[in-house]
Amino acid sequence: MNQNIILNEISKLKSKQSQWEPFTWYKDMRENNPVYYDAEQDVWNVFLYEHTKRVLSDHELFSNKKQRSLIPVPREHFDNRSNINLVDPPEHRKRRALQSQAFTPRSLKEWEPRIKAIVDELIADLEGESTVDIVEKLAIPLPVTVIAELLGVPFKDRGLISSWSDIIFLPYNQEAYVDIDKQKGQAMKEFHDYLLPIVQEKRKRAVDDIISDLTKAELDGEQLTDEEVVMSAIGLLGAGNETTTKLISNIFYSMLFDKPGVYQELRTDVSLVPNLIEEVLRFRFTASMDRRVAQDTSVFGPKMKEGQVVVAWLGAANRDESEFAHAEELDIHRPNSQHHLSFGNGPHFCLGAPLARMEARIALNAFVNQFADIQPVKGFDVTEHLTDSVLGQSLKNLPILFDRNR
């Protein structure tokens, strides 16, 4: 049995369109199969909000110490002390503390002017254009530039970092499993060989960035090795890149197709921007997370055995009517959008969530101030602009028409 869990083999959603819009399947599973056992991969699946939240937060029943996972990263590279994703509390708290300083409110406040400057540069590059690919021009370059600068990696290499991250976080599929595994191994080696001299240099001459901080950090009285710092940096660069790119892309897609007219609401009242961000995270994120069943349990009804895997379908939980009224509608005035589970819940809540929110907020505020309106390009067919990602199908392109303020 493969170590990696293949979600499309559970859902049986094969077309790009059905993977991009799996919401009918989510609804069917919530109503008819809320706790579903997939015998082919020996995996339990939960779809309801309360079940999903329990799986993510109850580490005594559902552990992050696991051998099998849907996270498509070659395991052998990340089995080290710096990994915060394969341990439970209290060990998890110590490891997370190494990386969390960079994402405190105070640290982010210090970074806000630089993020604004990066956004302004990207928007200035759109001068003279009337049609632009918002994924290529904003959603991809913004997060990779920000996370590279935070870590202390040269700006000129952001394209390399982005392409390595894309490959490392590419999901597995049954047909091309061996080929994908080979690609990941190669990307991981290149990424590692690129970062190692940077880490070694910062250990000799530390500056004000995350990699320097990691070289000085101690865990159980010992400093992290160069290898452990490299692997931490790869994890942060990849995760800090993928989620925010998808968030910004999805926001623009939702404004154009899920709820046309929202952009003009933002133009009238820019204070609605954070509401829109939370509602898009709830409404359009098709992410899932997994845990190992730590002890035999019937907490959801059927008996789950110790050692089995349970997948929590966050995208399905985020549309559970028991938590969100009129859940199938995108509503930027929804009072509890921020209860979504797209960044997880409990001890493994996404470390970079505040940074992702801040980048999206700054980008959207700047865009709304600069451009009078946005419109879809005529004849746009989303299935021609999708690519596989760890977060389900993601937009690789989204061309938009826009009017600059006169």
Side-chain angles (χ1 to χ4, degrees):
M1 190 182 289
N2 288 332
Q3 277 194 341
N4 293 89
I5 295 153
I6 301 171
L7 292 182
N8 296 342
E9 297 297 321
I10 297 170
S11 69
K12 307 303 181 194
L13 299 175
K14 299 297 186 183
S15 72
K16 284 195 168 189
Q17 180 64 46
S18 64
Q19 290 170 20
W20 172 245
E21 299 270 0
F23 307 112
T24 303
W25 181 73
Y26 286 169
K27 188 170 190 287
D28 179 56
M29 297 306 281
R30 281 195 308 270
E31 292 175 358
N32 301 311
N33 259 315
V35 183
Y36 168 66
Y37 177 65
D38 179 76
E40 288 176 30
Q41 297 187 74
D42 189 25
V43 171
W44 288 96
N45 300 270
V46 296
F47 301 88
L48 300 179
Y49 184 87
E50 284 305 323
H51 290 177
T52 297
K53 194 171 178 181
R54 178 77 182 266
V55 167
L56 297 179
S57 55
D58 187 346
H59 65 87
E60 291 183 356
L61 274 186
F62 304 106
S63 172
N64 234 32
K65 293 179 183 173
K66 56 200 176 189
Q67 292 303 313
R68 299 178 64 214
S69 178
L70 58 87
I71 303 297
V73 178
R75 275 290 301 273
E76 64 273 16
H77 298 283
F78 280 99
D79 283 337
N80 62 63
R81 294 180 305 151
S82 63
N83 193 321
I84 63 175
N85 293 316
L86 295 174
V87 288
D88 296 322
E91 179 64 22
H92 173 263
R93 278 191 287 275
K94 291 190 290 184
R95 296 190 189 189
R96 188 175 170 108
L98 293 175
Q99 298 174 5
S100 60
Q101 312 167 56
F103 301 99
T104 62
R106 182 168 164 237
S107 300
L108 292 176
K109 199 78 192 151
E110 289 170 4
W111 267 89
E112 191 159 353
R114 180 60 190 130
I115 295 171
K116 281 181 176 163
I118 293 167
V119 167
D120 289 345
E121 287 164 25
L122 292 170
I123 287 179
D125 287 345
L126 308 181
E127 187 68 52
E129 306 281 346
S130 59
T131 307
V132 68
D133 179 352
I134 204 68
V135 177
E136 183 193 337
K137 296 293 187 182
L138 182 65
I140 290 174
L142 173 59
V144 73
T145 303
V146 170
I147 198 70
E149 288 202 16
L150 263 171
L151 268 91
V153 176
F155 170 81
K156 65 179 174 57
D157 298 329
R158 67 183 187 184
L160 275 174
I161 292 161
S162 196
S163 60
W164 285 325
S165 299
D166 288 346
I167 295 169
I168 290 166
F169 286 89
L170 191 70
Y172 286 95
N173 65 60
Q174 212 75 289
E175 297 74 35
Y177 193 95
V178 174
D179 185 50
I180 291 170
D181 208 46
K182 201 178 290 182
Q183 285 182 54
K184 285 173 182 289
Q186 183 61 30
M188 188 67 86
K189 181 182 184 307
E190 290 174 13
F191 210 163
H192 168 278
D193 292 351
Y194 164 80
L195 281 170
L196 186 59
I198 293 173
V199 169
Q200 290 167 335
E201 177 61 27
K202 288 179 190 294
R203 197 179 288 281
K204 287 184 222 155
R205 281 177 282 278
V207 289
D208 185 17
D209 58 38
I210 298 176
I211 290 179
S212 295
D213 289 346
L214 287 170
T215 64
K216 294 181 283 187
E218 287 194 358
L219 188 63
D220 299 329
E222 291 179 19
Q223 288 191 321
L224 295 180
T225 66
D226 289 347
E227 293 290 323
E228 287 169 335
V229 175
V230 166
M231 289 306 148
S232 285
I234 289 176
L236 288 167
L237 282 162
N241 193 354
E242 186 87 22
T243 308
T244 313
T245 291
K246 176 144 185 163
L247 172 56
I248 295 170
S249 305
N250 282 359
I251 287 169
F252 278 90
Y253 183 90
S254 286
M255 290 192 295
L256 292 170
F257 298 104
D258 293 327
K259 200 72 177 269
V262 163
Y263 189 80
Q264 290 308 320
E265 275 200 77
L266 299 186
R267 292 269 302 164
T268 307
D269 182 2
V270 79
S271 73
L272 290 170
V273 163
N275 300 34
L276 172 63
I277 292 167
E278 298 307 317
E279 181 65 349
V280 170
L281 282 163
R282 181 197 72 82
F283 183 80
R284 188 153 273 291
F285 257 63
T286 52
S288 303
M289 292 182 183
D290 58 71
R291 297 290 188 267
R292 180 179 60 84
V293 180
Q295 53 184 283
D296 290 1
T297 180
S298 304
V299 69
F300 303 135
K303 185 173 181 183
M304 299 176 172
K305 295 178 188 168
E306 180 184 349
Q308 289 182 313
V309 174
V310 57
V311 172
W313 294 76
L314 316 187
N318 286 339
R319 292 197 180 204
D320 187 338
E321 293 279 345
S322 69
E323 181 68 20
F324 304 102
H326 312 294
E328 302 291 338
E329 178 190 341
L330 187 136
D331 177 8
I332 66 169
H333 302 285
R334 187 182 298 279
N336 67 338
S337 294
Q338 73 278 12
H339 290 182
H340 67 79
L341 300 172
S342 296
F343 287 129
N345 190 258
H348 286 275
F349 184 82
C350 176
L351 197 60
L355 180 61
R357 286 176 165 129
M358 177 188 276
E359 288 179 55
R361 173 177 56 78
I362 291 170
L364 215 46
N365 282 347
F367 210 88
V368 165
N369 286 331
Q370 283 280 341
F371 302 106
D373 198 16
I374 60 171
Q375 295 292 332
V377 168
K378 198 173 177 184
F380 175 80
D381 178 354
V382 72
T383 59
E384 296 172 6
H385 299 272
L386 295 173
T387 186
D388 282 339
S389 99
V390 66
L391 298 168
Q393 288 291 331
S394 294
L395 290 159
K396 65 180 174 189
N397 306 104
L398 180 58
I400 64 169
L401 301 168
F402 57 83
D403 292 329
R404 191 176 284 276
N405 287 338
R406 299 290 175 250

